[in-house]
Amino acid sequence: MSAEKIAATLETDIVSGIFRPGEELKQGELAARFSVSRIPVRDALQLMAARGLIDLERNRRARVISLTHAEIDEVYHLRVLLETDCLRQSIRRLEADDLAKIGAALAHSSIDAATDRWADGDWAFHKSLYMPARRPRELAMIEDLRRTCRIHIAGYGVLPTLTDRWLKDHEDLVAAMKSRAGDQAADILARHIADARQTLLQAMPG
């Protein structure tokens, strides 16, 4: 198995909460799991470190990233800045075809919300909101920040207990976009992200 495939499998494990924040990924155990030598495992860990999924320590130990409350707060602050900006850019460029894709993503996310695929559906919906902006670098930064949040959400067993509320936010976001109401949409999104931040911080130890 290649280092890329190993990295992809381990990333799936991390974002689904199988490996929790701060947990060590032991090279010997991983080599045995994937029936490979330690070389592709080390290469996979290097790829994951470059993507910000794990921290590599000087003694070659690898641990799933584990952020403090202050660092999580910073991540969500950056998300608000980038995601509201991307949303405003999307509204300026919005076309009928974009609205159709957003509507489809909304429908799928509403179905996924009641399943263990809720996080995938949520990102697919938000991504559909930001795609019309045609800002791939900004979108990539948003995805990286959201992945960091998702690692901690899964690792600390955070469940979407306010599903009705955030699905209503999704509906309100779509309505604001259809009306080309940039300020209103940005306000809804900022509160939506702030609520998610508070839910995660309350679930984190310490």
Side-chain angles (χ1 to χ4, degrees):
M1 181 177 286
S2 68
E4 291 79 6
K5 288 184 178 179
I6 293 171
T9 300
L10 292 175
E11 178 177 346
T12 298
D13 289 347
I14 290 171
V15 299
S16 63
I18 294 175
F19 292 111
R20 298 187 59 177
E23 186 171 349
E24 182 180 355
L25 302 180
K26 298 179 180 179
Q27 293 187 24
E29 292 179 1
L30 295 177
R33 172 184 171 182
F34 294 109
S35 300
V36 296
S37 70
R38 294 196 180 205
I39 294 175
V41 170
R42 283 199 296 267
D43 291 343
L45 295 176
Q46 291 286 352
L47 290 172
M48 295 168 67
R51 297 192 65 190
L53 298 167
I54 64 171
D55 291 320
L56 287 178
E57 302 172 357
R58 290 184 179 180
N59 56 9
R60 294 187 176 181
R61 287 185 177 180
R63 296 186 184 277
V64 179
I65 57 168
S66 179
L67 303 188
T68 65
H69 284 68
E71 289 169 331
I72 287 292
D73 193 61
E74 181 183 7
V75 168
Y76 275 94
H77 177 72
L78 291 170
R79 279 189 54 188
V80 170
L81 294 176
L82 291 174
E83 293 187 46
T84 55
D85 175 71
C86 209
L87 185 68
R88 290 179 186 276
Q89 298 296 332
S90 287
I91 290 173
R92 294 191 182 104
R93 298 186 173 192
L94 202 58
E95 298 178 359
D97 185 55
D98 297 318
L99 285 172
K101 292 177 181 177
I102 290 169
L106 174 63
H108 283 295
S109 71
S110 298
I111 295 171
D112 290 339
T115 73
D116 58 3
R117 286 183 48 81
W118 69 270
D120 291 325
D122 184 63
W123 169 233
F125 169 71
H126 281 271
K127 187 175 181 180
S128 75
L129 300 181
Y130 310 144
M131 285 294 288
R134 299 174 183 84
R135 297 170 73 93
R137 291 178 178 82
E138 188 169 18
L139 186 62
M141 293 171 68
I142 291 170
E143 185 170 13
D144 284 343
L145 291 169
R146 289 180 64 98
R147 185 184 299 112
T148 297
C149 295
R150 185 173 175 182
I151 289 170
H152 290 77
I153 288 168
Y156 293 121
V158 179
L159 296 175
T161 56
L162 300 176
T163 303
D164 291 343
R165 179 170 173 177
W166 58 264
L167 288 179
K168 178 64 163 54
D169 287 345
H170 286 184
E171 293 172 359
D172 291 344
L173 278 168
V174 173
M177 290 192 77
K178 288 179 177 178
S179 300
R180 306 302 199 273
D183 290 342
Q184 180 186 4
D187 287 344
I188 295 168
L189 180 58
R191 179 178 52 75
H192 185 71
I193 296 171
D195 287 346
R197 163 193 166 276
Q198 189 62 28
T199 299
L200 174 55
L201 289 176
Q202 288 176 346
M204 289 175 63

